[in-house]
Structures are given as C-alpha cells and as structure tokens.
Amino acid sequence: EFVSRFGLKPKWRIECPGRVNIIGEHIDYHGYSVFPMALSVKTTLLVAPLTTPEIRFENVDADFAAHTESLPSEWKEQSKPQWFHYLLAGWRETFQQLDLPQTGFAVLMDSSIPASAGLSSSSSLVCASALATLTVATGGTPWEKIDKTKLAELSMTAEHRIGTAGGGMDQAAECLSKAGSALHISFSPLRCESVPLPSNCFFVVADSKERKNKAASNEYNTRVVEGRIASALLAKALGIEEWREVRRLKHVEEKSGLTLEQLIEKSRDLPEVLNTEGVKEMIGDHLETISTGDTAELTSFVIRSRALHVFSEALRVNQFKELCIAGDVHNMARLMNESHSSCTGWYDCSTPSLDSLVSSLLSSGALGARLTGAGWGGCAVALFHADQLEKGDLPDHLNILFHSKPEEGIRLIEL
C-alpha cells in the first residue's frame, strides 16, 4: 500500500501501543502517580524520507483524507484537530525542541486502537509521529539523540498543541512499558517503575460504543481548571503564602506537609460549586491565569468533589501498587470498583452507558471494573481471574474488544 501511494519503499516501521489505565484517573495532570499498562493494539507508521520539501500524510482507512504539508511550515497548533494534526503536533514539537531542520518525508498510518475509546489512540499517534520525525532527521538513529523518557516528555508537550492539557501518563505508558509489567508512573521528574502483575489475573477491555473527541470538547480541560481552582483555594486556606503558584493538588500536599488522608478531610471544607463571581471573590484575577482557551467562558465550577476524587484516587494508586506486589487480586479489584464510583460521583466523567457496562461486567464474573481513558464514553477495564480465560468463560454480549497482558512500548524497526 505504501509503494502504491508514494512510489517508493518504506524505510522504517514504527509501532506504538495503546494503553489502558488500570487505576489513577484524572490525577496525572495534578502531579500524582498512575498505574497503566501498554496494550496489544497499536498505531503503525511506515515512513520514508522524501527529496521534495513536503510531508505527505496518508491513512490506510479511507475515511481519513490525505494531507500534504508544504515545507517550510509555520503550523503550530490546532484546537479542533483532524487526524493528521496529531502527526503535525509530534513533528512540530520534535524539530523545535531538538533544533532539527524541516525535512520532507512520507507517512502511511494504520491503527488497531479504537478511536475515542479511552485507549489513548491520539497519544499513540503523537508519540509515533515524534519518533518518525527524529528517525528521518537522524537517518535512522534516533536513540543516539534522545532516550525513550525524553521522547515521552517531548510527546506530552506536543499533545498540548492540539488542545489537550494532559499530564504525561499516556505518553509514558506508550513509550516506556515493558512486556509483562504494568507501570507505576510518577511525575516531575518522570519516573517509571515496572510492576509485574499477578499471574492469576488478566484484564479485559470492553467498549461502551459511546464516543467523544476529548480534544474537540472542553469537559477534560474544565476538570483541569476546576482542579487548579481547588488547588488555589486549599493553598490559601492552609496559609501557603505562594498560593498563586500552586496549580496542582500535589503541590498542595508538598507545600503543606499533610498526608493524602488529611487532605481528603481538608477538602470537605471547600465549597461544592462556585460561579465566576464567587471564584474571583476568593482568588481574584488568578482565574484568568489558570483558565485554558476553551474554558474562558465557563460560568460555574465544581470544586469540592473534584479535589476529593483526586486525593482519594492518588491514595488508591499507592495502595494498588502494594496489593499488586503482594498478589492480592481481590483487594486490587475492590480499589478498581471504588475508583469507578469516584469517577461517577465526584468527577462526573462517566455516562449511563459506561455505568451500565461496568455493572454488566461485574455481574458477568469480573472481580473489579472501572471506566478508563478519562471517561465520557469509550471503554471500561475489568479484572478477571485467570481461570475464566482458561475456561473460555468470558461474556460475549458485552462488546469485549480484547483481553491483554502488558505489552512492550514504542518500537522502531528498520526495513
């Protein structure tokens, strides 16, 4: 297909997996640790350098129109992205951060990651594009220029160019994962610890069939801003003088010296809902500083519930890691169930179809289940005992996409 479209052979193949977040939803952008694993589904790019000053993007899926970007290009960002804008985001951030020339190349994309399903198809595409850009620029030796940790950090920044203020979990999971292990990912600085999963369990990903393009809507960034307001209000209440610099709830923990359990109790004193005037009465024009472009017109903000979710979810991630090491599958499942309840009640990022899917998974034998991938549609992840897979005893009426053990992160193959 590549030869047919471009008239030359591909030189490199790049494979970048999707990811499922086992636990730790909506807390990476507050600086808290998460617990994802890479999946068997993936984005694949075939790449070859061009002698002409252009980048040609093509997609195996005929529903996605081709795009040619003439070089030099001034493209920088896109708030409502089409598929090729994710590739441009990875390209732009890579050559800009690493001071590379704008070099022409051809890309043919294919993906087995369901789009807008909460499995990080967009981040996978950005990471793959960043590696493709560097591979072309270095003639096939990108790892002499950067390592996979730097690639993950660069790709996180790149994704901000298409309007998503994420915290780095997706890119770290997709770049740094090791086969057979989940990742306990910490941020600032980025640190990843491989944690082998108990051998007597496996994870199932099931699809609610409900879709939302999170980069083209503002629910995600609304939660980011609400969390920043909660951070400022808590910091002020705790007497932290530099409260204007506190933009993540993890910063409140670090500057106050309080435990997560104590911060959960402190958060119960926050107002549940504030309108714009109420927020400005408490933090003044700082609201404009912490808003994003697509949230500037919001008139109402949920505060207390957002903070309660973040702190309690951060605590669950820490506990899940220890239970995983101990092989305590049943309590791992309990924490997954608690996480979904928190996402539904406190973070309001579930939907009736996702709640129904989680309930059906549990009634069909799952030990634990929760939404994954930010929510508002997409997928749920469920923990099953290995015996059910051996017996072939998986429910076939729940649109199960696949079951998976942890896979390897991004790969470059010279053809």
Side-chain angles (χ1 to χ4, degrees):
E1 187 68 21
F2 189 98
V3 172
S4 172
R5 297 192 185 203
F6 298 116
L8 70 163
K9 292 182 178 181
K11 192 165 185 179
W12 301 285
R13 177 187 185 95
I14 294 168
E15 298 177 348
C16 187
R19 67 95 189 94
V20 63
N21 191 23
I22 301 172
I23 195 165
E25 212 65 61
H26 286 284
I27 62 174
D28 60 332
Y29 51 81
H30 280 291
Y32 281 111
S33 301
V34 291
F35 204 87
M37 73 179 200
L39 296 168
S40 54
V41 291
K42 61 193 174 187
T43 296
T44 302
L45 301 183
L46 295 183
V47 184
L50 294 175
T51 57
T52 52
E54 60 186 2
I55 306 174
R56 294 180 59 188
F57 300 116
E58 298 252 358
N59 198 312
V60 168
D61 189 334
D63 289 339
F64 297 98
H67 175 78
T68 297
E69 188 74 14
S70 297
L71 301 178
S73 169
E74 296 299 318
W75 185 91
K76 292 184 178 179
E77 59 188 7
Q78 180 71 35
S79 60
K80 296 189 182 298
Q82 300 182 54
W83 74 275
F84 57 85
H85 289 123
Y86 295 88
L87 288 160
L88 281 172
W91 163 78
R92 176 81 193 189
E93 193 65 30
T94 303
F95 88 74
Q96 183 169 300
Q97 276 202 33
L98 302 179
D99 194 26
L100 303 173
Q102 292 193 22
T103 306
F105 58 97
V107 177
L108 179 62
M109 172 203 163
D110 193 14
S111 181
S112 55
I113 309 171
S116 301
L119 303 178
S120 198
S121 59
S122 58
S123 295
S124 175
L125 186 50
V126 173
C127 292
S129 174
L131 181 55
T133 302
L134 185 56
T135 299
V136 171
T138 60
T141 59
W143 306 128
E144 294 181 4
K145 187 83 171 177
I146 61 172
D147 59 17
K148 289 188 176 182
T149 299
K150 174 63 177 176
L151 177 66
E153 293 172 336
L154 182 154
S155 299
M156 178 194 71
T157 307
E159 198 157 343
H160 294 174
R161 294 182 179 276
I162 44 86
T164 304
M169 170 189 67
D170 299 343
Q171 299 82 3
E174 292 171 340
C175 292
L176 301 171
S177 287
K178 302 295 183 184
S181 295
L183 279 185
H184 182 257
I185 303 174
S186 303
F187 303 98
S188 300
L190 181 64
R191 301 180 305 278
C192 295
E193 179 185 357
S194 294
V195 182
L197 293 172
S199 59
N200 61 340
C201 69
F202 67 98
F203 292 91
V204 160
V205 176
D207 192 356
S208 72
K209 299 185 178 179
E210 187 175 2
R211 293 290 184 269
K212 178 181 285 291
N213 185 337
K214 300 174 186 67
S217 58
N218 74 347
E219 282 92 344
Y220 185 98
N221 286 347
T222 296
R223 298 301 183 277
V224 173
V225 172
E226 289 171 333
R228 290 173 179 173
I229 295 170
S231 301
L233 293 180
L234 270 175
K236 280 193 75 177
L238 293 170
I240 298 171
E241 292 184 4
E242 61 274 25
W243 62 267
R244 286 178 175 270
E245 300 173 14
V246 178
R247 299 182 63 163
R248 295 180 172 190
L249 289 167
K250 178 71 178 293
H251 294 163
V252 178
E253 180 188 356
E254 292 169 343
K255 291 182 178 297
S256 69
L258 298 178
T259 66
L260 286 170
E261 291 88 348
Q262 290 171 322
L263 287 167
I264 289 170
E265 293 308 310
K266 292 289 184 183
S267 296
R268 298 189 191 280
D269 296 329
L270 291 169
E272 177 61 15
V273 179
L274 287 173
N275 60 22
T276 303
E277 290 73 23
V279 174
K280 287 184 175 180
E281 284 179 10
M282 302 182 83
I283 62 172
D285 59 6
H286 186 54
L287 177 60
E288 282 74 26
T289 304
I290 61 179
S291 293
T292 60
D294 59 349
T295 60
E297 303 303 317
L298 291 177
T299 59
S300 180
F301 305 89
V302 177
I303 309 299
R304 182 199 306 138
S305 291
R306 307 308 189 227
L308 286 170
H309 167 76
V310 172
F311 289 133
S312 64
E313 187 78 345
L315 185 59
R316 281 187 287 271
V317 170
N318 295 340
Q319 294 168 341
F320 192 92
K321 174 188 171 184
E322 298 306 316
L323 292 168
C324 196
I325 293 170
D328 189 345
V329 173
H330 286 279
N331 277 312
M332 290 164 57
R334 174 182 58 80
L335 291 178
M336 291 176 68
N337 294 333
E338 291 177 5
S339 173
H340 185 76
S341 295
S342 182
C343 286
T344 298
W346 279 339
Y347 225 67
D348 193 24
C349 60
S350 189
T351 64
S353 61
L354 265 175
D355 290 341
S356 176
L357 177 60
V358 167
S359 295
S360 296
L361 285 162
L362 292 171
S363 63
S364 299
L367 302 174
R370 57 179 298 277
L371 68 81
T372 188
W376 298 294
C379 292
V381 58
L383 176 63
F384 282 83
H385 197 278
D387 289 347
Q388 288 183 261
L389 180 61
E390 293 170 4
K391 296 174 183 175
D393 188 20
L394 289 179
D396 57 7
H397 63 289
L398 295 178
N399 199 35
I400 289 177
L401 298 179
F402 50 84
H403 56 81
S404 184
K405 293 283 189 178
E407 296 289 338
E408 191 76 16
I410 195 167
R411 295 196 306 155
L412 170 66
I413 303 152
E414 187 167 359
L415 302 176

